Amino acid sequence: QKEVEQDPGPLSVPEGAIVSLNCTYSNSAFQYFMWYRQYSRKGPELLMYTYSSGNKEDGRFTAQVDKSSKYISLFIRDSQPSDSATYLCAMSELEYGQNFVFGPGTRLSVLP
Amino acid sequence: DAGVTQSPTHLIKTRGQQVTLRCSPKSGHDTVSWYQQALGQGPQFIFQYYEEEERQRGNFPDRFSGHQFPNYSSELNVNALLLGDSALYLCASSPSLAATGELFFGEGSRLTVL
């Protein structure tokens, strides 16, 4: 079993749809959870950062963490064609340091 | 304000050769990490440099080595290249060891090993 798993995708949705992207993990020591967006031929860029369980909202994006189930989600409301990218979840045991464990990514296409 | 810059963007090597990849962190950042991203996979942590020292290392063999210079720029060296080393190599920087998720990635160096 891989340490972090994501819905395999690819995922295609119509413009305006609500998108749900999910990751599961096995290491109960993870405390810091992140979502990155990666456009084709670009490096990942940070979308959301959360600590421990709970929800965090930023504009059209909402991140949820359920540590008891070892499950995290990213919701995108009113999806736009510009949201078409690969979404990577990442996790860390420590607040400091950069040894993040990434999921394999889910490729999302938002169709106009 | 320049972000993280990496060079070269693409390169092709043959098995057994050695390669050096270069990274300049975002202005004001002093901590650099390197990640390997195979096709269709998420990035995997190679190592992190701070104050010119390797601070953390992922599960990569000693063929992977690095260096950080006084101006905070960094190099990744890979010796005795294998076909499996073909990947996108990403450099990431942050303002300090206190990353709190704020990793800024470059666009990567795509290495093909034939």
Side-chain angles (χ1 to χ4, degrees), chain B residues 71-103:
Chain B
N71 66 353
Y72 309 124
S73 67
S74 177
E75 287 182 350
L76 165 66
N77 300 291
V78 186
N79 294 323
L81 285 167
L82 304 173
L83 294 179
D85 295 331
S86 295
L88 180 68
Y89 288 86
L90 294 163
C91 174
S93 71
S94 70
S96 70
L97 282 179
T100 60
E102 287 193 73
L103 276 186

Side-chain angles (χ1 to χ4, degrees), chain B residues 31-74:
Chain B
T31 305
V32 173
S33 291
W34 287 91
Y35 282 79
Q36 180 195 65
Q37 187 175 23
L39 195 62
Q41 299 297 315
Q44 276 196 288
F45 176 75
I46 304 175
F47 41 54
Q48 173 196 49
Y49 277 84
Y50 173 70
E51 291 188 336
E52 302 179 50
E53 289 188 12
E54 183 181 295
R55 299 289 177 161
Q56 287 185 298
R57 188 178 183 94
N59 189 24
F60 278 80
D62 292 345
R63 298 187 297 109
F64 290 77
S65 63
H67 190 77
Q68 186 180 34
F69 298 94
N71 66 353
Y72 309 124
S73 67
S74 177

Side-chain angles (χ1 to χ4, degrees), chain A residues 36 38 42-43 96-98 100, chain B residues 33 35 37 94 97-98 101 107:
Chain A
Y36 282 81
Q38 186 172 25
K42 300 288 187 181
Y96 302 114
Q98 299 174 350
F100 298 160
Chain B
S33 291
Y35 282 79
Q37 187 175 23
S94 70
L97 282 179
E107 296 194 352

Side-chain angles (χ1 to χ4, degrees), chain B residues 8-28:
Chain B
T9 54
H10 296 84
L11 69 167
I12 299 174
K13 294 284 187 178
T14 56
R15 280 178 297 175
Q17 285 189 311
Q18 178 263 345
V19 67
T20 297
L21 308 177
R22 296 176 176 82
C23 171
S24 292
K26 183 177 169 62
S27 177

Side-chain angles (χ1 to χ4, degrees), chain A residues 59-110:
Chain A
R60 296 185 296 111
F61 299 90
T62 299
Q64 285 187 352
V65 175
D66 182 349
K67 288 189 67 180
S68 63
S69 301
K70 299 191 182 69
Y71 190 89
I72 71 170
S73 298
L74 177 71
F75 297 94
I76 307 174
R77 291 183 298 281
D78 187 25
S79 56
Q80 303 295 310
S82 59
D83 295 327
S84 298
T86 295
Y87 289 80
L88 300 155
C89 62
M91 309 177 186
S92 175
E93 295 182 25
L94 305 172
E95 181 176 12
Y96 302 114
Q98 299 174 350
N99 186 357
F100 298 160
V101 181
F102 281 81
T106 299
R107 192 168 70 190
L108 170 67
S109 294
V110 181

